[in-house]
PDB file of all heavy atoms in Angstrom:
ATOM      1  N   HIS K  33     233.264  92.468  45.691  1.00 95.00           N
ATOM      2  CA  HIS K  33     233.221  90.942  45.482  1.00 95.00           C
ATOM      3  C   HIS K  33     234.656  90.394  45.665  1.00 95.00           C
ATOM      4  O   HIS K  33     235.569  91.110  45.781  1.00 95.00           O
ATOM      5  CB  HIS K  33     232.712  90.680  44.226  1.00 95.00           C
ATOM      6  CG  HIS K  33     233.431  91.326  42.975  1.00 95.00           C
ATOM      7  ND1 HIS K  33     234.726  91.036  42.627  1.00 95.00           N
ATOM      8  CD2 HIS K  33     232.888  92.225  42.176  1.00 95.00           C
ATOM      9  CE1 HIS K  33     234.918  91.901  41.602  1.00 95.00           C
ATOM     10  NE2 HIS K  33     233.911  92.539  41.263  1.00 95.00           N
ATOM     11  N   GLU K  37     239.161  80.249  43.132  1.00 94.00           N
ATOM     12  CA  GLU K  37     239.102  79.101  42.127  1.00 94.00           C
ATOM     13  C   GLU K  37     239.911  77.937  42.712  1.00 94.00           C
ATOM     14  O   GLU K  37     240.944  78.168  43.210  1.00 94.00           O
ATOM     15  CB  GLU K  37     239.638  79.517  40.772  1.00 94.00           C
ATOM     16  CG  GLU K  37     240.985  80.192  40.815  1.00 94.00           C
ATOM     17  CD  GLU K  37     241.338  80.989  39.515  1.00 94.00           C
ATOM     18  OE1 GLU K  37     240.408  81.267  38.736  1.00 94.00           O
ATOM     19  OE2 GLU K  37     242.463  81.412  39.447  1.00 94.00           O
ATOM     20  N   ASP K  47     238.839  77.800  50.319  1.00 93.00           N
ATOM     21  CA  ASP K  47     239.476  78.844  49.541  1.00 93.00           C
ATOM     22  C   ASP K  47     238.740  80.229  49.688  1.00 93.00           C
ATOM     23  O   ASP K  47     239.228  81.285  49.896  1.00 93.00           O
ATOM     24  CB  ASP K  47     239.611  78.450  48.146  1.00 93.00           C
ATOM     25  CG  ASP K  47     240.515  79.323  47.255  1.00 93.00           C
ATOM     26  OD1 ASP K  47     240.029  80.524  47.114  1.00 93.00           O
ATOM     27  OD2 ASP K  47     241.486  78.956  46.803  1.00 93.00           O
ATOM     28  N   ASN K  50     238.968  81.747  53.189  1.00 95.00           N
ATOM     29  CA  ASN K  50     240.314  82.418  53.417  1.00 95.00           C
ATOM     30  C   ASN K  50     240.294  83.687  52.636  1.00 95.00           C
ATOM     31  O   ASN K  50     240.720  84.722  53.240  1.00 95.00           O
ATOM     32  CB  ASN K  50     241.433  81.488  52.739  1.00 95.00           C
ATOM     33  CG  ASN K  50     241.807  80.311  53.750  1.00 95.00           C
ATOM     34  OD1 ASN K  50     241.658  80.422  54.979  1.00 95.00           O
ATOM     35  ND2 ASN K  50     242.278  79.285  53.201  1.00 95.00           N
ATOM     36  N   THR K  51     239.810  83.784  51.460  1.00 95.00           N
ATOM     37  CA  THR K  51     239.807  84.934  50.732  1.00 95.00           C
ATOM     38  C   THR K  51     238.981  86.071  51.367  1.00 95.00           C
ATOM     39  O   THR K  51     239.456  87.195  51.461  1.00 95.00           O
ATOM     40  CB  THR K  51     239.295  84.730  49.240  1.00 95.00           C
ATOM     41  OG1 THR K  51     240.152  83.645  48.660  1.00 95.00           O
ATOM     42  CG2 THR K  51     239.451  85.948  48.359  1.00 95.00           C
ATOM     43  N   ASP K  59     241.174  88.500  59.387  1.00 91.00           N
ATOM     44  CA  ASP K  59     242.406  87.773  59.933  1.00 91.00           C
ATOM     45  C   ASP K  59     243.304  88.656  60.772  1.00 91.00           C
ATOM     46  O   ASP K  59     244.096  88.100  61.555  1.00 91.00           O
ATOM     47  CB  ASP K  59     243.145  87.137  58.807  1.00 91.00           C
ATOM     48  CG  ASP K  59     243.751  88.126  57.804  1.00 91.00           C
ATOM     49  OD1 ASP K  59     243.159  89.125  57.612  1.00 91.00           O
ATOM     50  OD2 ASP K  59     244.889  87.878  57.418  1.00 91.00           O
TER      51      ASP K  59
ATOM     52  N   ARG J  35     251.039  90.066  51.320  1.00 91.00           N
ATOM     53  CA  ARG J  35     250.172  90.170  52.526  1.00 91.00           C
ATOM     54  C   ARG J  35     250.351  88.934  53.297  1.00 91.00           C
ATOM     55  O   ARG J  35     250.028  87.860  52.868  1.00 91.00           O
ATOM     56  CB  ARG J  35     248.784  90.379  52.055  1.00 91.00           C
ATOM     57  CG  ARG J  35     247.678  90.303  53.114  1.00 91.00           C
ATOM     58  CD  ARG J  35     247.746  91.390  54.094  1.00 91.00           C
ATOM     59  NE  ARG J  35     246.504  91.709  54.675  1.00 91.00           N
ATOM     60  CZ  ARG J  35     245.747  90.920  55.551  1.00 91.00           C
ATOM     61  NH1 ARG J  35     246.344  89.830  55.946  1.00 91.00           N
ATOM     62  NH2 ARG J  35     244.559  91.234  55.920  1.00 91.00           N
ATOM     63  N   TYR J  43     247.421  80.186  46.373  1.00 86.00           N
ATOM     64  CA  TYR J  43     247.205  81.580  46.174  1.00 86.00           C
ATOM     65  C   TYR J  43     247.992  82.544  47.050  1.00 86.00           C
ATOM     66  O   TYR J  43     248.452  82.043  48.099  1.00 86.00           O
ATOM     67  CB  TYR J  43     245.743  81.934  46.202  1.00 86.00           C
ATOM     68  CG  TYR J  43     245.004  81.367  47.380  1.00 86.00           C
ATOM     69  CD1 TYR J  43     245.158  81.937  48.665  1.00 86.00           C
ATOM     70  CD2 TYR J  43     244.283  80.264  47.294  1.00 86.00           C
ATOM     71  CE1 TYR J  43     244.586  81.418  49.790  1.00 86.00           C
ATOM     72  CE2 TYR J  43     243.657  79.688  48.445  1.00 86.00           C
ATOM     73  CZ  TYR J  43     243.789  80.253  49.801  1.00 86.00           C
ATOM     74  OH  TYR J  43     243.187  79.725  50.822  1.00 86.00           O
ATOM     75  N   LYS J  62     244.499  89.488  45.185  1.00 94.00           N
ATOM     76  CA  LYS J  62     244.913  88.044  45.314  1.00 94.00           C
ATOM     77  C   LYS J  62     245.275  87.567  43.971  1.00 94.00           C
ATOM     78  O   LYS J  62     244.717  87.721  42.981  1.00 94.00           O
ATOM     79  CB  LYS J  62     243.768  87.294  45.966  1.00 94.00           C
ATOM     80  CG  LYS J  62     243.773  85.778  45.835  1.00 94.00           C
ATOM     81  CD  LYS J  62     242.492  85.211  46.141  1.00 94.00           C
ATOM     82  CE  LYS J  62     242.312  83.759  45.781  1.00 94.00           C
ATOM     83  NZ  LYS J  62     241.118  83.196  46.287  1.00 94.00           N
ATOM     84  N   THR J  64     246.464  83.713  41.970  1.00 91.00           N
ATOM     85  CA  THR J  64     246.315  82.255  42.142  1.00 91.00           C
ATOM     86  C   THR J  64     247.229  81.574  41.050  1.00 91.00           C
ATOM     87  O   THR J  64     247.680  82.267  40.192  1.00 91.00           O
ATOM     88  CB  THR J  64     244.944  81.751  41.865  1.00 91.00           C
ATOM     89  OG1 THR J  64     244.634  81.861  40.500  1.00 91.00           O
ATOM     90  CG2 THR J  64     243.982  82.447  42.732  1.00 91.00           C
ATOM     91  N   ASP J  74     239.118  90.582  39.470  1.00 94.00           N
ATOM     92  CA  ASP J  74     239.043  91.145  40.827  1.00 94.00           C
ATOM     93  C   ASP J  74     240.386  91.841  41.269  1.00 94.00           C
ATOM     94  O   ASP J  74     240.348  92.840  41.826  1.00 94.00           O
ATOM     95  CB  ASP J  74     238.766  89.966  41.839  1.00 94.00           C
ATOM     96  CG  ASP J  74     238.340  90.371  43.125  1.00 94.00           C
ATOM     97  OD1 ASP J  74     237.394  91.101  43.290  1.00 94.00           O
ATOM     98  OD2 ASP J  74     239.122  89.972  44.072  1.00 94.00           O
ATOM     99  N   ARG J  78     240.544  95.718  42.206  1.00 96.00           N
ATOM    100  CA  ARG J  78     240.974  96.128  43.497  1.00 96.00           C
ATOM    101  C   ARG J  78     242.071  97.163  43.595  1.00 96.00           C
ATOM    102  O   ARG J  78     242.207  97.837  44.545  1.00 96.00           O
ATOM    103  CB  ARG J  78     241.458  94.804  44.345  1.00 96.00           C
ATOM    104  CG  ARG J  78     240.295  94.047  44.701  1.00 96.00           C
ATOM    105  CD  ARG J  78     240.515  92.866  45.678  1.00 96.00           C
ATOM    106  NE  ARG J  78     239.340  92.348  46.127  1.00 96.00           N
ATOM    107  CZ  ARG J  78     238.615  92.899  47.140  1.00 96.00           C
ATOM    108  NH1 ARG J  78     239.117  93.860  47.800  1.00 96.00           N
ATOM    109  NH2 ARG J  78     237.336  92.410  47.460  1.00 96.00           N
TER     110      ARG J  78
END
Side-chain angles (χ1 to χ4, degrees):
Chain K
H33 53 68
E37 52 200 9
D47 190 296
N50 281 331
T51 302
D59 64 324
Chain J
R35 168 67 152 73
Y43 44 81
K62 165 187 166 179
T64 69
D74 192 61
R78 287 188 166 275

